[in-house]
Amino acid sequence: MTASTPAAGIGASTRRRDGAALLTGRARYVDDYRPHGLHYAAVVRSTVAHGRIRSVDVSGAETAPGVVLVLTGEQAARHAGPIPYFISPATRGGREVDIRCLEPELVTYVGQPVAAVVARSRVEAQSAAAAVRVEYDSLPHVLDADTALLPDSPRVYPDWQDNVVFAKTYGAGDAEEALHGADVVVSGEFRIARSTTAPVEPRGYVASWDATDEALTVHGSCQNPHQLRYMLSASLGLAESAIRVVTAKIGGSFGLKMQGLPEETLVCLLSMLSRRPVKWIEDRRESLMSGAREQIHRIRVGAKADGTITGLVNRIVADAGAMTAQAGWAMCNMSASTFPSGYRVPDCRVELRLVATNKPPLSAARGFGKDAAHFVMERAVDLVARRLALDPGEVRRRNFIRAGEFPYRTATGLNIDSGDFAGLLDKAQAAIDYPAVRELQRRRREQGRPLGVGIAFELTPESSDSPGTFVSGFDTTTVRMSLTGRVTVLTGVTSPGGGNDTGIAQIVGAELGVPVEWIDVVQGDTDRCPTGFGNFSGRSMVVGGGSAALAARDVRATLRTVGARLLERDPEACEVVDGTVRSVSEPDCAVPVPEVAHAVLTRAFAAAAEVEPVLESTRAYKPGNIDHRPDELGRIQPYPTYSSCLHIAVVEVDAETGKVDVVDYAMAHDCGTMINPDLVEGQAWGAITMGIGSALTEQLVFDAGGRLVSDRFKSYLLPRAGDVPEFRLEHQVTPSPFTMHGNKGAGEAGVGGAQAAVANAVEDALAPVGACVRSLPLTPPVVLDLIEEATR
Amino acid sequence: MKTPSATRTTFDYRAPEDLDGLADALGTARGAVSVLGGGTMLVPDISHGTAQPDTVVDLARTGLSGLRRADGEVVVGAMTTYRDLLTTAPAPVPLLRRLAAGVTGGPQIRNRGTVGGSAAFANPSSDVPAALLALRARMRLLSPDGVREVPASDFYTGPFATVRRDDEALIEITLPDPGAASFGYVKFKLSVGSWPIVTATAVAESGGGLRVAVGGAGRVPVAVMLTEPADPADPEWLAHIRERVESELDSVGTWTDELAEGTYRRRIAGTIAARSVAALRGDDERR
Amino acid sequence: MQPIRLTVNGDKHEVTVDPRDLLVYVIRERIGLTGTNVGCLTGDCGACTVTLDGRTAKSCSVLAVTADGSEIRTIEGLASPAGLDPVQEAFWKENGFQCGYCLPGMLLATRELLDEDPDPAEEDITRTIDGNLCRCTGYTTILRAVRTAARRAQHRDERPERP
Ligand SMILES: Cc1cc2nc3c(=O)[nH]c(=O)nc-3n(C[C@@H](O)[C@@H](O)[C@H](O)COP(=O)(O)OP(=O)(O)OC[C@H]3O[C@@H](n4cnc5c(N)ncnc54)[C@H](O)[C@@H]3O)c2cc1C
Ligand code: FES
Ligand code: FES
């Protein structure tokens, strides 16, 4: 492989390409689009948790100033069909209901869209929406998953026999037998409260229906433009070719902005019916309704006296809230199949039940369910260490899959490609100076000040592929060089803020042998980019980068052939470097790439005779290791790569108030080859901070009627700068054998590991009183209760 | 959930330029009146429809900001911002300066949020009200009928409720000049961005004795008088302060909101009060 | 409806507003400067930060009528024809952003801090940033950027003139 300017090549921390636009306020987020004649939408939402709509009175809204359209669920159903599921539960043996952009009949949570208004201004739309009167026949509701499983529980969907959306058992071996033969068995019930992703930019869409051309243009804060186009075409009955989806600059997403949400279809329908461009920007109170996670795990783990874990049984009850066409419901699958993480536990059984309740649905969230597995698994490993009075680091070391054992198939079927987990532990312990921290802990304890150290390992399967769904393990990129040598990269992956366009440009620059400054990256436009799958599951650099490299190599080959002719050399003896084609042995014998490009495209029958005169290639990249053919236990292998990391958190606990402060934090991280270390670090820190937030303060609280109480940032507490320590990050590189550049997904790792490390640290701090951490978040009242319970 | 809604109708906007103009505006205002200070709470409430005034009387141009000393007293203009408290040198009321330094929301909020706004808002979880109680402040209210003064101890009648009438604006807060009296201020929050859960202010009074005011824990701020302990870590004294604070809280009722239950606030109130006394003596590094 | 005058990034504007119009929307939709963002409308996130008569403010919590007659600077007004402000440069160098949505608050609050104190204490840096939410970076690189900008601010001669 040839390298261009080293500062910009693979492995360099090139600064962000879009930096100037973002730093000067020129970048365009969805709310910044204001097509001529723009109108604004507001959504009327259910005020009851469960009920049948008796009547919708729109008279007050229709006559309100500025209003051009009021739409009820019943009317919407005449124009738009159900929204296709991103991942269909029915194809997995689960249950489905029709998801509509406006619910015409049965509301299942407070906040469900039931009507909508279009008006001249935002204020007029909101005022008119408040004037819509909806009456309901209330039905009994259920807000908690355990209760929803009881035989006499209200049913969220009355025609279902119970509230179970989906149930499945994962694992291999005989776990009960293994527990039976263990020296010790530890058990616990662990609860993860509902939190949310809360990007600082809420969701939003601007739809412009062109009635003359019968064409729809949608600008959206959306991670998956092609899937959104398909979905809109299905729900609105339009040809895909009549729809153009453009993803604006995205102000953070973390899964929330994956498609499948009712407002996407709704805003388009409002534009079509009102024949005006319509914008809807989510209010923060609407945005905070999307759940990210909520689960209960009841786990038993058996171990030998030396700390070797022999078996694991876990029963998971995951709270789905109401049903959604978004991918959120499917996260619990990953919670189950990520057990037993990076540990050698051949006898393992995980039973999963996903349960509907009358709360808002889940939306996909960074971690995609793996976070829950890590919180619980790492708590369990600590319980084993505590029971056996062993160092938690040593118990992990004893049970880790060994560096020589990869690829390693876990009991749940994941085929872990590579790693060195003990190496990560060494690095993290060195970064935090583990012996010194333990010594500090001893001294603090003497002063009666609880300080705790928590260790957590995290395995992050990334770049998944789910057969028959939009969760695709490959992607596609076009690399196109113009007459003047400018390069346009059109890729199917999107960048909701992480900056993967910079990484992709680095790869193309390196493969093509031209400076990155010559390269423009175009993402998120269904009319321009090849069919692709957008952003999820830490996939963008793996498959976006891989496909970009393949396409760039094709273009480079043509440049080399024609360049060599111009130089009157053998192509085999030439290379493309630093924007020139040159002879390997005589570097002065060189021709600039723009001249070569010009020759290819203007002298097709001379310099480029017998060469196909095209400086463009579209290639897809499919990484290795994915295998959807079920093995003898019915297990499939949906992931090419598995990133891994090890977290160590140091916390102080104020024993009088229960307040937890994270005072130090180290993470050793392995995502294989790093394309751009700065981008990787940025992702890791953001994810850890999100994990710390959900471990300590973030919680969606509902009142008895199912109304969200924590509906603003004063009551839903995100971490601020003063809440988190400065992080210590160590890198380890074990390249993936299954991806082109040896890179693994980066971006999801951090949430679950941070939750687990903080929880373990709090328990460690409280070890002298013997408190046991069983739930998240660990708010001061919860921690104070733990202390009092243990000392009672 | 309430559908996000803006104020349904617009409102009259008045921006008087002096106190006469203010009295006139209050007297002639149409319908429900909201007095606008820095707007950090009121403006979001208007945009979310939780406040629906017919008239907004904006104090921005009344010149009511700043701190001054007069006749053994300090007068704090209602429009004095947290930033003013931080930058007025020397600080006439060091306690208020200390309080302002701990107000969250960044410089943007400290630049605009006002002492008068916080005092008048009467949010049990705010910093200012309990501190004013500790400082024995008096609230000066202006209406078309003239000016009246109410001691802070009588001003607060409940969560978000005061004796202020709708046609009155809080124009000034006066307090006995604290001179160099020592004080301690401690606030407990769930995280950097959370409202205060419990605040405690300890003031060594010139006549002797300690006045400790606790905010956040009760439906209104409470104050207790204590004799200064020989050793603030003495368990017996700690039990005493806890008991005094808890009994005051029980008489006004504890405060519960979406961040914390009243029972939790009551549990830690004595601890935070004791810490404020330790801070007053300069021997608590935890603050 | 009432006419107000605003000077935004040096340009004078006269607009007619409804008293309930928020300053942030007047800047974004009437004056057309969309660099100021909206994240919460409750004063908590800081994405709507502007400088109002020299002091940062969250423009979602200011009525446009209150701002009548004032001088406003938005994120668009931070760079000068000579180039980016050193604060912007520092954020770029240190990767002090990912999606960029929080930048108005981060940049303008940092600028205000350094104008008052070119060598701020660590605690003051944190208290300055604490008014702004960032969900992407975890703050580490933001704090680094402020420190880097502060180091540069001490070499005043290196700073390009700002308007
Ligand atoms: C992000 C953020 C962080 C915050 N952090 C803190 C904190 O750490 N501690 C804390 O205590 N508070 C905090 N606050 C609340 C803060 O807004 C108040 O403390 C502030 O001082 C209110 O003042 P204001 O002038 O902005 O009030 P406004 O919003 O103008 O008014 C608030 C209420 O008081 C009324 N009012 C205002 N002035 C007068 C007057 N002179 N006479 C009569 N009525 C009046 C208004 O009608 C309204 O009902 C925070 C707020 C935000 C948005
Ligand atoms: S939009 Fe103004 S602070 Fe969030
Ligand atoms: S960079 Fe995305 S919110 Fe700060």
Side-chain angles (χ1 to χ4, degrees), chain A residues 621-741:
Chain A
Y621 176 64
K622 283 164 76 177
N625 201 24
I626 297 178
D627 193 345
H628 288 313
R629 292 162 301 181
D631 71 0
E632 65 288 355
L633 295 170
R635 305 175 301 186
I636 60 168
Q637 204 317 92
Y639 293 94
T641 74
Y642 295 75
S643 293
S644 52
C645 52
L646 199 126
H647 303 248
I648 301 183
V650 182
V651 305
E652 267 181 322
V653 179
D654 180 343
E656 291 175 320
T657 62
K659 172 96 193 291
V660 176
D661 276 316
V662 183
V663 294
D664 205 348
Y665 202 102
M667 165 165 149
H669 185 247
D670 188 343
C671 61
T673 311
M674 284 185 288
I675 306 296
N676 185 327
D678 274 356
L679 298 182
V680 170
E681 291 194 11
Q683 291 282 323
W685 284 319
I688 292 170
T689 302
M690 200 175 263
I692 291 176
S694 55
L696 294 180
T697 56
E698 292 181 34
Q699 181 168 16
L700 294 176
V701 179
F702 297 85
D703 68 13
R707 194 183 67 91
L708 180 66
V709 188
S710 50
D711 65 350
R712 39 170 81 190
F713 287 140
K714 285 192 174 59
S715 42
Y716 187 83
L717 298 173
L718 300 186
R720 291 181 184 265
D723 288 315
V724 287
E726 212 155 306
F727 303 113
R728 305 162 192 266
L729 190 66
E730 295 292 325
H731 295 297
Q732 170 180 291
V733 178
T734 54
S736 171
F738 298 113
T739 67
M740 182 185 296
H741 297 101

Side-chain angles (χ1 to χ4, degrees), chain A residues 411-432:
Chain A
T412 47
L414 304 183
N415 197 38
I416 304 176
D417 58 323
S418 62
D420 176 4
F421 304 157
L424 287 172
L425 181 56
D426 293 338
K427 285 202 162 59
Q429 288 187 327
I432 205 103

